[in-house]
Amino acid sequence: MSNQKAPPRRNTDVIQCPNCGEEYSVTYKRCPFCDERADGRLHTPSGGRRTGGQPLNPLQIFGLVISLALIVAALIIVFKTVSPMLFGSTSDGGSAASTSQQQGVSSQAEEVAVEQLLISQDSAALKAGEEWQAVVTAQPVGATTPITWSSSDSTVATVDQFGNIRNVYTGTGEAQAVITASAGDKSVTCTVTCTGDGTGSSSTGGNTTSGGNTTGGGNTTSGGNTTSGGNTTSGGIAPNTDAVIVGATGGLNIRSGPGTTYTVQASTTNGATVTVLEAAGDGWYKIKYAIGGGEYAEGYVMGTYLTPAP
């Protein structure tokens, strides 16, 4: 028997796909590899067959990007959670931040004690109903001890938590109250002289009437002070006679003129003896007082704080 050779393959029996380049039998209407039709149009892919160079849908691209972003975010979260347990805290990372926060809390909790208090004025004069603020500065700067305020006589002057002092004296003449600012064991004071509005009685210890003392008949005033029996001034105390300071529990300011608007040139205390020179009007007296070394000066005080020397 003679050997028979297989008939040669005819290239006309196959078609090369113009899309994917694969060859397939002419018996297929479409390329079995990429589903390319014989007329050059692509068919919607189905069931796992190769699609070759078919472009991706924009929605598919967007979904792919979102998926990748979520995967990256999840990896970052897992890394931050797990890395401290695997590698410990870095010297300039979590441990440093924690230490810094602890130091911040510690410094905030630390209190700075007041070493000294300074007040804007150590004396002031207020007219009836007038208000004035005393300013207190604590040393050192940054001291945290709170400052509290108080008045020695709230019927004469009141003070609030901000140092606002108000004249509430309703008597006649003048009365004084000592305003104190305290912080810890430190304190500072301001003596406030208040002129009354005359609508009520005087403060405790003060003399009430503007005339104060009676004439030479010897009868006492409501304050209980008597005259020496001589001729008196219009205020009730004879000129060029000695008088004693009374009712000034916090000290008495001697002014340069007959009124609270004049400057304070000196201060005296209860029991001090002065010489009355003359009545200056509105209950004020011009006096002469000792300043030490045998020297004397002249000034003005309210008659309600004067009583004839015994």
Side-chain angles (χ1 to χ4, degrees):
M1 293 180 63
S2 60
N3 293 331
Q4 296 183 351
K5 294 183 180 181
R9 180 181 176 184
R10 295 185 303 171
N11 292 334
T12 56
D13 294 337
V14 294
I15 301 174
Q16 186 177 20
C17 178
N19 183 50
C20 66
E22 297 287 345
E23 294 182 350
Y24 62 92
S25 176
V26 295
T27 59
Y28 290 97
K29 294 182 180 180
R30 300 182 180 86
C31 174
F33 301 102
C34 66
D35 210 22
E36 172 77 14
R37 292 185 180 184
D39 56 4
R41 292 181 298 169
L42 286 173
H43 179 69
T44 304
S46 61
R49 289 182 293 176
R50 296 172 59 185
T51 60
Q54 181 180 6
L56 293 176
N57 190 306
L59 293 177
Q60 293 176 326
I61 296 175
F62 179 75
L64 180 61
V65 172
I66 295 298
S67 300
L68 290 174
L70 292 175
I71 293 172
V72 171
L75 290 175
I76 293 174
I77 293 174
V78 171
F79 179 78
K80 287 186 175 182
T81 304
V82 176
S83 61
M85 293 184 290
L86 296 177
F87 307 107
S89 300
T90 59
S91 60
D92 58 348
S95 296
S98 176
T99 302
S100 176
Q101 292 177 353
Q102 292 176 357
Q103 290 176 348
V105 172
S106 176
S107 62
Q108 290 178 359
E110 183 180 355
E111 291 189 0
V112 179
V114 172
E115 297 178 1
Q116 184 181 14
L117 291 177
L118 303 175
I119 195 166
S120 55
Q121 292 180 214
D122 58 6
S123 64
L126 301 180
K127 298 179 181 179
E130 187 177 2
E131 187 172 327
W132 170 71
Q133 184 179 24
V135 179
V136 167
T137 304
Q139 298 290 340
V141 176
T144 57
T145 307
I147 298 175
T148 57
W149 296 83
S150 62
S151 172
S152 64
D153 192 342
S154 58
T155 64
V156 174
T158 60
V159 62
D160 65 13
Q161 58 181 330
F162 304 108
N164 294 308
I165 304 168
R166 185 176 182 80
N167 177 3
V168 295
Y169 182 49
T170 58
T172 57
E174 289 183 335
Q176 289 184 327
V178 178
I179 304 301
T180 303
S182 302
D185 60 350
K186 309 298 180 183
S187 64
V188 66
T189 62
C190 173
T191 301
V192 180
T193 302
C194 298
T195 302
D197 59 12
T199 61
S201 59
S202 64
S203 64
T204 304
N207 298 312
T208 58
T209 62
S210 60
N213 302 309
T214 63
T215 61
N219 297 321
T220 62
T221 63
S222 58
N225 298 318
T226 62
T227 65
S228 59
N231 296 324
T232 63
T233 65
S234 59
I237 300 178
N240 300 314
T241 59
D242 290 339
V244 178
I245 303 297
V246 294
T249 56
L252 178 64
N253 290 328
I254 301 175
R255 297 185 177 274
S256 61
T260 57
T261 58
Y262 290 90
T263 59
V264 177
Q265 61 186 32
S267 180
T268 186
T269 59
N270 272 339
T273 300
V274 298
T275 300
V276 175
L277 300 178
E278 62 182 7
D282 294 329
W284 287 84
Y285 287 88
K286 184 177 183 180
I287 64 169
K288 182 174 70 174
Y289 58 96
I291 58 175
E295 299 293 329
Y296 292 86
E298 296 179 356
Y300 295 83
V301 297
M302 281 293 294
T304 52
Y305 296 98
L306 297 173
T307 184

